[in-house]
Amino acid sequence: MRDESEPKRVKGSGVKFAYETLRDEILSLDLEPGAVLDETSLAERFGMSRSPVREALIRLAGDDLVVTLSNRSTVVAPIDLQSFPKYVEALDVAQRMNTRLAAELRTDLDLKTIARRQKEFLATVSKGDHLAMSEANKNFHMAIAHAGRNPYLAAFYERLLNQGRRMLHLHFAYLEQGDGEVLLTDEHDDMLAAIRDRDVARADALAHAHTRQFRDNFISYLKQNYLKDAPIVSLGPAA
């Protein structure tokens, strides 16, 4: 039976609706890692057949947000903490390279786009909507990547940013537990300024520090909220 709170859909939009709804619930952690996604239950919830639900789950699997187990059941993808050091290593390389290229190759139009994306991010911060914040954060960094004029590096960077959105959600939660810190906004402004000034070395250093801040705060959040009695292997300095 369809939940009356679910918005009505135009004909043929079932896959898109199911995909976007489940994606947002996974990224916001409303659907926790490991949660079972039953096609029949989801079809009943959305008031549609199982076929569009199945297609939506296939798309989510392509985004690395769900996994299919050996018994053919589908679950929300776990957040793999063991791979976190390697993830951060890759993110650091991609973030630094794209930001360096943007500082070297950006146009005035690129600067306007990056600045607009930063304003959009600031607007989401003021509302405290973590899902919107992670989307706006991704858009800001992708505007930088597009300014770097390397579609291969940009595509690699975008995949990493997408994979990290659930961890970024926890990162925001950790920052909000602090003493009223500004959520990434100062670092974004500094990166924008370095790109504007074509200061490649500073852009590189700021991108590196940005990754390191995310890494350190994410680990601190886990220690504080989930792993108080469990040791975490030190990642060492981001390189």
Side-chain angles (χ1 to χ4, degrees), residues 121-177:
F121 177 71
L122 287 170
T124 64
V125 170
S126 67
K127 297 177 182 177
D129 182 341
H130 290 178
L131 182 61
M133 287 163 62
S134 70
E135 178 70 19
N137 178 74
K138 172 193 163 184
N139 291 340
F140 169 79
H141 286 288
M142 286 310 299
I144 290 174
H146 293 317
R149 302 290 187 278
N150 189 315
Y152 299 100
L153 284 173
F156 175 54
Y157 190 29
E158 183 171 23
R159 186 169 186 86
L160 290 169
L161 291 172
N162 283 332
Q163 290 175 339
R165 282 186 64 183
R166 288 186 294 172
M167 291 182 282
L168 189 63
H169 186 93
L170 297 176
H171 174 61
F172 290 149
Y174 174 77
L175 290 179
E176 287 182 344
Q177 294 172 0

Side-chain angles (χ1 to χ4, degrees), residues 137-228:
N137 178 74
K138 172 193 163 184
N139 291 340
F140 169 79
H141 286 288
M142 286 310 299
I144 290 174
H146 293 317
R149 302 290 187 278
N150 189 315
Y152 299 100
L153 284 173
F156 175 54
Y157 190 29
E158 183 171 23
R159 186 169 186 86
L160 290 169
L161 291 172
N162 283 332
Q163 290 175 339
R165 282 186 64 183
R166 288 186 294 172
M167 291 182 282
L168 189 63
H169 186 93
L170 297 176
H171 174 61
F172 290 149
Y174 174 77
L175 290 179
E176 287 182 344
Q177 294 172 0
D179 300 322
E181 299 179 67
V182 178
L183 297 176
L184 306 182
T185 54
D186 290 343
E187 293 184 0
H188 282 187
D189 286 338
D190 290 342
M191 292 169 76
L192 174 58
I195 293 168
R196 179 184 295 115
D197 295 341
R198 299 190 187 277
D199 190 336
V200 175
R202 178 160 171 74
D204 182 19
L206 288 168
H208 176 54
H210 202 54
T211 310
R212 189 170 59 247
Q213 186 235 43
F214 162 68
R215 178 202 64 181
D216 293 345
N217 286 342
F218 179 69
I219 292 175
S220 295
Y221 179 85
L222 291 179
K223 287 181 175 178
Q224 180 175 317
N225 293 276
Y226 295 104
L227 300 172
K228 294 179 181 179

